């Protein structure tokens, strides 16, 4: 049985549900699988924090549960949701959860802070992010070179959208101090900020992107939902959404981690052989918010970002390190051991 427990929301959530798609993405919620699988019958309990359960970039988390793959592995997985990946990271390092579904780049950032965290299965080889500008600002912002003096929306300060926005600015000759990042979350709060002029543009994902374009509330400036878009904007593959966990916990619970990775690898393979509409039909009905066609379109636009097997893309960690070193002084002056930021051990066994 799927249960939802609302844990609180951003203050701006009162605007909401003006979006035709998002299921109040800024409200934290949880949903649990039954753990009644045939694997060992014990229903090993695991809590995973997701940086926005209804974001398409993190779709494998909920889809794995809906397909019954956690249960099949004998796992009782509770999926929790926060508006931004940086909050998922915080929940992980504080010990509130055993895993986080968020961007791989957090593993590098955390290593410089003395926290050893590693990706155990890689969902993607592109960011899945889009830089959107409001209609009002579109004449003045025609590339990242125009970020100076602008207010740019990110899901949260210190989030991956914050990281990527800063990189795009620096890459195009704009100092980090020359623009203002504004934490606006995703979904309705992002859309409201864009429409009301609280931000000139910002970085977000589907289904927020699909909703903005459908409402004709903004225009796409940069599209990083495909490997080609990632190559053009960032210079290489950019592993983003993943399941990452504290290394000590991984080493002490290898059987459980293997079952989690088995489940996710099955999901990625399933996604690669099914249409966006078929995937949409498996997701909770409230994610569609009455517009199943638009939701399926959002999934279709983002599908190219996903890997088919959970393997870390070749040269992906190096691209992420290059991006972070461009603006992050902690990483720029640190020797990051990339081999300790991810492991292929569990994915290789899952594939076998």
């Amino acid at each position: 049985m799927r249960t939802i427990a609302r844990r609180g929301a951003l203050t701006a959530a009162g605007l909401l549900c003006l979006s035709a798609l998002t299921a109040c993405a800024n409200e934290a919620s949880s949903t649990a699988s039954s753990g009644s699988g045939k694997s060992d019958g014990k229903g090993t309990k695991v809590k995973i924090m997701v940086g926005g359960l209804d974001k398409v970039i993190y779709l494998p988390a909920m889809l794995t549960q809906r397909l019954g793959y956690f249960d099949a592995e004998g796992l009782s997985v509770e999926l929790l949701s926060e508006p931004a990946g940086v909050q998922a990271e915080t929940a992980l390092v504080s010990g509130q959860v055993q895993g986080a579904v968020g961007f791989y780049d957090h593993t590098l950032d955390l290593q410089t802070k003395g926290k050893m965290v590693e990706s155990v299965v890689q969902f993607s080889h592109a960011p899945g992010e889009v830089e959107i500008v409001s209609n009002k600002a579109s004449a003045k912002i025609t590339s990242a070179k125009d970020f100076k003096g602008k207010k740019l929306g990110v899901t949260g300060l210190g989030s991956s959208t914050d990281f990527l926005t800063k990189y795009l600015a620096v890459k195009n000759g704009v100092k980090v101090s020359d623009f203002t990042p504004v934490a606006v979350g995703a979904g309705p709060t992002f859309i409201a900020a864009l429409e009301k002029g609280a931000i000139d543009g910002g970085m977000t994902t589907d289904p927020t992107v699909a909703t903005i374009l459908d409402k004709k509330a903004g225009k796409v400036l940069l599209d990083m939902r495909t490997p080609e878009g990632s190559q053009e904007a960032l210079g290489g593959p950019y592993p983003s959404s993943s399941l990452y966990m504290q290394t000590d916990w991984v080493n002490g619970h290898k059987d459980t981690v293997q079952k989690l990775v088995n489940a996710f690898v099955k999901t990625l393979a399933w996604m690669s052989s099914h249409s966006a509409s078929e995937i949409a039909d498996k997701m909770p009905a409230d994610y569609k918010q009455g517009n199943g066609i638009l939701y399926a379109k959002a999934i279709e636009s983002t599908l190219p970002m996903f890997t088919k097997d959970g393997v870390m893309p070749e040269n992906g960690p190096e691209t992420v390190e290059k991006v972070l070193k461009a603006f992050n002084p902690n990483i720029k002056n640190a020797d990051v051991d990339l081999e300790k930021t991810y492991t292929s051990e569990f994915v290789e066994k899952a594939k076998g």
Side-chain angles (χ1 to χ4, degrees):
M1 179 179 293
R2 179 169 176 259
T3 59
I4 300 295
R6 301 187 186 280
R7 292 178 34 215
L10 293 178
T11 303
L15 300 167
L16 278 65
C17 297
L18 55 88
S19 164
L21 274 182
T22 53
C24 299
N26 296 310
E27 292 192 5
S29 63
S30 75
T31 176
S33 57
S34 65
S36 58
K38 299 176 181 178
S39 176
D40 59 14
K42 295 180 181 178
T44 304
K45 294 183 179 180
V46 182
K47 288 184 179 181
I48 297 176
M49 184 67 78
V50 184
L53 260 176
D54 61 355
K55 293 177 183 177
V56 178
I57 57 170
Y58 300 140
L59 180 148
M62 178 58 75
L63 182 58
T64 301
Q65 188 177 95
R66 301 284 287 187
L67 290 172
Y69 291 159
F70 290 138
D71 287 344
E73 292 290 333
L75 297 171
S76 176
V77 175
E78 183 177 8
L79 297 174
L80 303 160
S81 184
E82 287 286 2
V86 66
Q87 292 161 320
E89 169 197 296
T90 301
L92 178 69
V93 298
S94 66
Q96 296 177 48
V97 296
Q98 289 76 52
V101 169
F103 270 37
Y104 160 74
D105 54 22
H106 290 291
T107 67
L108 281 72
D109 186 50
L110 286 168
Q111 189 181 121
T112 67
K113 299 171 183 175
K115 304 290 185 182
M116 301 307 294
V117 173
E118 61 188 19
S119 166
V120 297
V121 56
Q122 195 62 47
F123 298 162
S124 59
H125 46 193
E129 302 282 352
V130 176
E131 185 72 25
I132 291 274
V133 294
S134 69
N135 291 329
K136 183 179 180 180
S138 62
K140 297 180 180 179
I141 306 177
T142 58
S143 76
K145 295 179 180 179
D146 302 319
F147 283 178
K148 186 175 182 178
K150 304 301 188 296
K151 295 174 291 184
L152 301 175
V154 296
T155 52
L157 301 181
S159 66
S160 296
T161 52
D162 190 22
F163 290 164
L164 287 171
T165 301
K166 287 176 178 176
Y167 172 74
L168 291 173
V170 171
K171 178 187 176 184
N172 287 277
V174 179
K175 296 178 182 178
V176 171
S177 58
D178 285 343
F179 69 92
T180 304
V182 183
V184 292
T189 51
F190 185 101
I191 296 167
L194 192 72
E195 292 182 322
K196 293 177 180 297
I199 56 174
D200 300 298
M203 191 169 291
T204 191
T205 61
D206 278 310
T208 307
V209 175
T211 304
I212 290 171
L213 297 180
D214 185 62
K215 291 166 64 72
K216 295 180 172 54
K219 300 177 180 179
V220 173
L221 184 69
L222 289 166
D223 192 338
M224 294 178 284
R225 290 176 291 188
T226 66
E228 294 77 15
S230 176
Q231 179 70 42
E232 182 178 352
L234 307 173
Y238 197 91
S240 55
S241 56
S242 66
L243 172 66
Y244 62 86
M245 313 178 89
Q246 296 201 62
T247 301
D248 285 347
W249 198 91
V250 171
N251 291 336
H253 301 80
K254 288 197 172 187
D255 183 57
T256 299
V257 176
Q258 187 64 63
K259 291 175 182 179
L260 285 166
V261 174
N262 290 346
F264 281 124
V265 169
K266 288 178 187 176
T267 297
L268 292 168
W270 189 92
M271 288 171 62
S272 72
S273 61
H274 288 76
S275 69
S277 294
E278 290 172 322
I279 294 170
D281 287 343
K282 290 291 184 180
M283 301 301 284
D286 59 350
Y287 283 21
K288 302 175 185 179
Q289 285 293 287
N291 195 332
I293 294 176
L294 191 59
Y295 182 61
K297 184 178 179 180
I299 293 175
E300 183 177 18
S301 297
T302 304
L303 274 179
M305 74 173 279
F306 293 107
T307 67
K308 296 180 180 180
D309 54 12
V311 173
M312 176 65 73
E314 187 176 357
N315 299 323
E318 289 78 8
T319 303
V320 172
E321 183 181 34
K322 178 197 72 174
V323 167
L324 296 183
K325 279 184 177 292
F327 67 87
N328 188 320
N330 292 333
I331 294 180
K332 185 176 183 178
N333 301 317
D335 292 322
V336 178
D337 189 340
L338 293 178
E339 290 188 2
K340 293 182 178 179
T341 60
Y342 72 98
T343 177
S344 300
E345 172 186 353
F346 303 99
V347 170
E348 292 303 324
K349 289 182 180 178
K351 287 170 58 183

